[in-house]
Amino acid sequence: MTRTVRAKAPAKVNLQLTVGARREDGYHPLVSVFQAVDLWESVIATPRTDGRITLTVDVPAGSPVDAAAVPVDGTNLAWRAAEELAAAYGIADGVDLRIRKGIPVAGGMAGGSADAAAALVACAEAWDIGATRADLDRIGARLGADVPFSLHGHTAVGLGRGDELTPAMTHGSFHWVFATQSRGLSTPEVYAEFDRRLDAGEQALSDLEVDSGVMTALMAGDPVALGNCMINDLEPAALSLMPRLERVLDEAEAAEACAALVSGSGPTVAALARSRQHALAIAAHLKAARVADAVLTAAGPASGTVLVQD
Ligand code: C5P
């Protein structure tokens, strides 16, 4: 019997992204505090008996996400997730994967990692292989440093490459505005620019420690205090590759955001609001200022990757 399964995985924003010097393996040691927000990628998996994998991408009507920028071959992380899972469990079946994009492409919000996470959960269920979450975490970490957090969701501290996770305590909801650009930034290029700035003495190395102010603000559910502590060491590199992002930050500040920061490796700018009402006001301000190609609002923390019953 053909069994079609759908899973959805959240976008993330980094509340703290502290980056150390490049390691021998090319990765950078991180202290990352992630929060999942309620923008979702869905992956629908339908098993095939011929062992082939196929992939299609669709974008809900009216969505600002650019589906044309998503690869539909074996380089897509969802495809690779299905391959890795099949190899790990000796699965001979194939799968038709259908991705519904809700997270900006190449935006610094882990949209590709969310595809991998949702594909892992959907394929594990569709192929009925009884994988545990720990198994999926291990396979996910091989696919990308942000994949374990996409599986985990909520709010968490990530050490190592960002994939060694510990849950963080939070209180209430935080309200976010995301200003996206249609042209993305490549994560490896942003890290390479970070390395260049470090070598040139244009950037200092931060201490690789969890900011206790971030943790206290999360537990208190206090966006103003959280805004005062948020930091992203990749922001100067992202700004030097895309200087026009300065204007987005300025306009978010003009709208009295608690903080405005490049999200991850960018180019999405995340603005933290005091309330949902304030988030809508910041979004209206950013739209009117025409500094972004699209403006989205979302709340966090959101759950990790879950199966969706249709
Ligand atoms: O793991 P993932 O494929 O998502 O990482 C993409 C790229 O980002 C890596 O190839 C590397 O250049 C950079 N990266 C890094 N240090 C990390 C995470 C990612 O340098 N901790």
Side-chain angles (χ1 to χ4, degrees):
M1 195 184 80
T2 305
R3 194 170 138 70
T4 294
V5 174
R6 180 199 294 261
K8 65 173 188 175
K12 62 91 183 164
V13 59
N14 297 88
L15 312 178
Q16 175 186 347
L17 183 52
T18 306
V19 181
R22 189 174 177 274
R23 307 190 310 206
E24 296 249 304
D25 65 359
Y27 276 89
H28 294 71
L30 304 180
V31 175
S32 173
V33 182
F34 297 103
Q35 180 158 94
V37 298
D38 60 355
L39 297 173
W40 305 95
E41 297 281 276
S42 296
V43 172
I44 301 168
T46 307
R48 318 172 44 108
T49 51
D50 63 1
R52 287 183 55 218
I53 296 176
T54 72
L55 187 136
T56 51
V57 178
D58 54 56
V59 171
S63 161
V65 175
D66 176 15
V70 182
V72 289
D73 56 15
T75 62
N76 186 295
L77 268 192
W79 184 306
R80 288 188 42 216
E83 271 177 351
E84 291 265 340
L85 192 66
Y89 286 87
I91 300 294
D93 283 355
V95 67
D96 291 324
L97 296 172
R98 182 176 200 126
I99 300 178
R100 287 205 107 203
K101 302 270 336 156
I103 304 178
V105 181
M109 298 187 72
S113 302
D115 291 343
L120 284 174
V121 169
C123 290
E125 181 72 11
W127 288 330
D128 197 17
I129 56 184
T132 64
R133 272 294 162 128
D135 295 337
L136 298 185
D137 276 347
R138 203 166 9 82
I139 297 170
R142 289 208 298 269
L143 293 163
D146 286 343
V147 179
F149 181 72
S150 295
L151 288 164
H152 182 285
H154 304 280
T155 306
V157 177
L159 302 179
R161 297 182 311 153
D163 54 348
E164 296 163 19
L165 299 174
T166 310
M169 296 238 289
T170 63
H171 177 77
S173 292
F174 293 86
H175 297 277
W176 297 95
V177 183
F178 296 102
T180 75
Q181 308 293 329
S182 54
R183 189 167 79 76
L185 277 175
S186 135
T187 302
E189 279 171 27
V190 175
Y191 274 100
E193 174 65 8
F194 172 85
D195 296 340
R196 190 200 63 72
R197 292 175 57 84
L198 210 57
D199 289 346
E202 292 166 18
Q203 170 132 12
L205 271 184
S206 322
D207 289 336
L208 279 175
E209 277 169 20
V210 179
D211 185 324
S212 60
V214 170
M215 293 297 131
T216 307
L218 282 169
M219 276 193 282
D222 183 342
V224 175
L226 180 59
N228 287 334
C229 304
M230 280 173 56
I231 178 162
N232 178 1
D233 283 349
L234 292 181
E235 181 171 279
L239 289 175
S240 84
L241 293 173
M242 212 183 261
R244 69 170 188 269
L245 296 179
E246 295 274 10
R247 272 206 63 209
V248 193
L249 297 173
D250 290 346
E251 293 295 347
E253 207 169 293
E256 296 181 0
C258 305
L261 236 71
V262 169
S263 174
S265 56
T268 300
V269 167
L272 178 59
R274 288 187 300 274
S275 63
R276 177 161 158 70
Q277 235 57 40
H278 186 210
L280 294 173
I282 296 171
H285 179 96
L286 291 177
K287 279 184 198 160
R290 297 182 182 277
V291 289
D293 291 316
V295 181
L296 307 167
T297 56
S303 80
T305 306
V306 287
L307 288 168
V308 182
Q309 310 297 339
D310 286 314

